[in-house]
């Protein structure tokens, strides 16, 4: 499943202001130290200078804002809908902390861990599933009963196996069976830099390939290190920032590949295939198209 999120600087400035208003309306405090307020002040400058050529490091900050705004807009659109999901406000409050850039965070970030859990819950709830914010992290109600999803955000390849083992233990101790949702964004793009795009179809294909390959690699680690008694598959997620210089437009290409680890005879395989089908609602065609090539991000 591919989702493309495109915007101009003025549009993003307005979306950020509206998001902050919605958070406050739900009783969520946007403190002076919140990264959203830092992003908003940066966007005032970006909106004025959108037709100049801002340095890549400056655009990197603006891209991060686009990803954050899209995540929190999704959360606030889905989780408060009746029946309101228990515990979402408390987790959003924690999620608003954290460094401005993901790469600022030398250690794991509880804020962005919660943010990813909330996004996973939102994505599945929007697909029509009944979900719960509970251990292992998110529980999805399926035809087989509660299906646990443990959410992980490994920062380096060397930590993937530890994350997988922790996730398997969480699932074993709660629902007994489930899947691991893994944000592979940093593994795909460790320096969190943008992909310059001349033609969008090539960029979408590039992100799909790299996200899927990285998710398959995580799935191979699952099969090798913990087996499939508790973990039926891996739900990957990758978000790649892009920049269209001719359009002066930022975007994110988001990919959600699902890799099943169990054979067709295992009823959990059907659940994972159903996930893949129902999550197709996220697919949106980009506004620009064409072929061409694109360069991978430097590592």
């Amino acid at each position: 499943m591919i989702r493309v999120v495109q915007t101009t600087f003025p549009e993003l400035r307005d979306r950020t202001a509206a998001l902050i208003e919605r958070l406050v309306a739900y009783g969520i405090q946007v403190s002076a130290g919140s990264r959203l307020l830092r992003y908003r002040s940066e966007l005032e400058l970006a909106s004025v200078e959108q037709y100049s050529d801002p340095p890549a490091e400056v655009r990197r900050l603006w891209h991060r804002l686009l990803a954050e705004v899209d995540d929190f807009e999704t959360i606030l659109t889905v989780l408060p809908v009746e029946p309101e999901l228990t515990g979402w406000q408390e987790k959003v409050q924690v999620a608003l902390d954290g460094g401005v850039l993901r790469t600022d965070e030398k250690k794991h970030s509880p804020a962005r861990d919660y943010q990813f859990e909330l996004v996973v819950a939102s994505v599945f709830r929007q697909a029509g599933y009944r979900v719960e914010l509970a251990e292992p992290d998110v529980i999805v109600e399926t035809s087989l009963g509660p299906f646990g999803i443990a959410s992980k955000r490994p920062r380096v390849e060397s930590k993937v196996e530890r994350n997988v083992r922790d996730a398997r233990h969480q699932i074993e101790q709660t629902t007994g069976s489930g899947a691991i949702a893994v944000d592979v964004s940093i593994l795909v793009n460790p320096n969190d830099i943008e992909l310059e795009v001349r033609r969008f179809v090539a960029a979408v294909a590039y992100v799909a390939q790299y996200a899927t390959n990285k998710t398959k690699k995580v799935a191979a680690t699952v099969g090798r290190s913990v087996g499939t008694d508790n973990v039926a598959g891996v739900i990957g997620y990758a978000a790649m920032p892009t920049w269209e210089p001719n359009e002066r437009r930022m975007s994110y290409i988001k990919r959600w590949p699902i890799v099943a680890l169990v054979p067709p005879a295992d009823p959990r395989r059907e659940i994972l295939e159903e996930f893949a089908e129902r999550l197709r609602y996220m697919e949106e065609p980009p506004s620009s198209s064409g072929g061409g090539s694109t360069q991978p991000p430097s590592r």
Side-chain angles (χ1 to χ4, degrees), residues 232-253:
V234 175
I235 302 164
Y237 168 73
M240 176 71 74
T242 65
W243 171 246
E244 296 173 86
N246 294 338
E247 303 291 336
R248 320 305 302 164
R249 180 170 58 192
M250 301 183 301
S251 63
Y252 259 87
I253 301 173

Side-chain angles (χ1 to χ4, degrees), residues 263-277:
D266 190 315
R268 295 175 297 171
R269 176 67 171 259
E270 185 175 343
I271 294 298
L272 291 169
E273 291 173 351
E274 181 184 283
F275 284 174
E277 182 61 32

